[in-house]
Amino acid sequence: MSTHAAARVAAPTRREQILKEAARLFAERGFHGVGVDEIGAAVGISGPGLYRHFPGKDAMLAELLVGISERLLAGGEQRVSEDAASHDGSHEALLDALIAGHIDFALDDRPLITLHDRELDRLRDTDRKRVRRLQRQYVEVWVGVVRGLYPDLPEHEARAAVHAVFGLLNSTPHLGRPGALPDRTDTAALLHRLARGAFDAAGGALPSRGDIPE
């Protein structure tokens, strides 16, 4: 494929542009604080023109929150599948890959984290249940990998540790103003160390308090 062809493939569609701007505006000002005309203006089309892509704001919100849940699950399952296909069997490398993938989301899609926290209850019941189901499946992907690396860790503790690490990684909306973030490489490395440290502590790989020198 030529460079120009690759660029065309990589270019976001108008639908993706609308969703990106909707996520940003919803996160900054709240779902009810943003009108269709403003979303349209952000992507250079009239408000009514948005209805060729979405029936309304509710549909945009649903696609944003269901869509990111689907992508996170698919990414996690793909990493596990690729690891199995390679016969590598390294639970440590696989956990690192899962952490890195979630960090990419947490750094690059911060508005979606804010949206989930603030607006999930605005979804229709069927969409909200779908998001929750996808999230539970994503957690279980991690639990399997964590218990593979720390086989003595009880399942309920592994699940609690995964939720705790998600809370840590998903704290990125609090790291700076929208659009502003400390150096991405350094921030990603710090988050990765914190996540691994949390799992190591849960799995008993860190010294107990009594063993830590004063």
Side-chain angles (χ1 to χ4, degrees), residues 4-201:
H4 292 302
R8 286 196 300 271
V9 171
T13 65
R14 177 53 59 91
R15 188 180 181 88
E16 290 169 338
Q17 292 171 345
I18 292 170
L19 287 173
K20 180 178 179 180
E21 291 304 316
R24 178 182 65 81
L25 291 168
F26 291 158
E28 289 178 2
R29 293 162 48 193
F31 181 75
H32 287 304
V34 179
V36 170
D37 288 342
E38 295 169 275
I39 299 172
V43 295
I45 61 177
S46 67
L50 287 180
Y51 293 110
R52 291 196 296 270
H53 302 277
F54 296 95
K57 291 196 306 177
D58 289 338
M60 295 180 206
L61 181 64
E63 184 153 338
L64 284 165
L65 294 182
V66 173
I68 190 55
S69 298
E70 290 175 336
R71 293 198 299 276
L72 285 171
L73 175 59
E77 289 178 335
Q78 180 179 355
R79 289 178 177 89
V80 171
S81 176
E82 289 174 349
D83 181 77
S86 68
H87 305 290
D88 182 30
S90 172
H91 293 290
E92 185 169 9
L94 182 51
L95 181 58
D96 281 335
L98 287 176
I99 292 171
H102 197 96
I103 287 173
D104 284 342
F105 153 69
L107 293 178
D108 297 337
D109 292 296
R110 290 191 295 162
L112 293 179
I113 297 174
T114 301
L115 276 188
H116 179 274
D117 291 344
R118 292 181 184 170
E119 312 290 0
L120 180 63
D121 287 343
R122 298 192 188 280
L123 295 183
R124 294 181 307 169
D125 190 54
T126 53
D127 288 329
R128 186 171 60 254
K129 288 180 178 179
R130 185 178 179 188
V131 169
R132 293 300 193 192
R133 183 175 66 254
L134 291 164
Q135 290 173 337
R136 287 193 296 270
Q137 292 174 297
Y138 183 53
V139 168
E140 294 311 308
V141 170
W142 282 64
V143 169
V145 174
V146 169
R147 295 197 73 211
L149 183 57
Y150 308 103
D152 294 331
L153 184 64
E155 183 176 330
H156 70 279
E157 290 188 14
R159 190 170 293 108
V162 169
H163 281 290
V165 167
F166 284 174
L168 186 159
L169 299 180
N170 291 347
S171 67
T172 51
H174 305 290
L175 295 182
R177 302 183 310 277
L181 193 68
D183 179 84
R184 191 189 191 287
T185 301
D186 290 346
T187 302
L190 173 61
L191 290 173
H192 203 117
R193 291 197 304 274
L194 291 171
R196 280 303 306 268
F199 284 128
D200 285 344

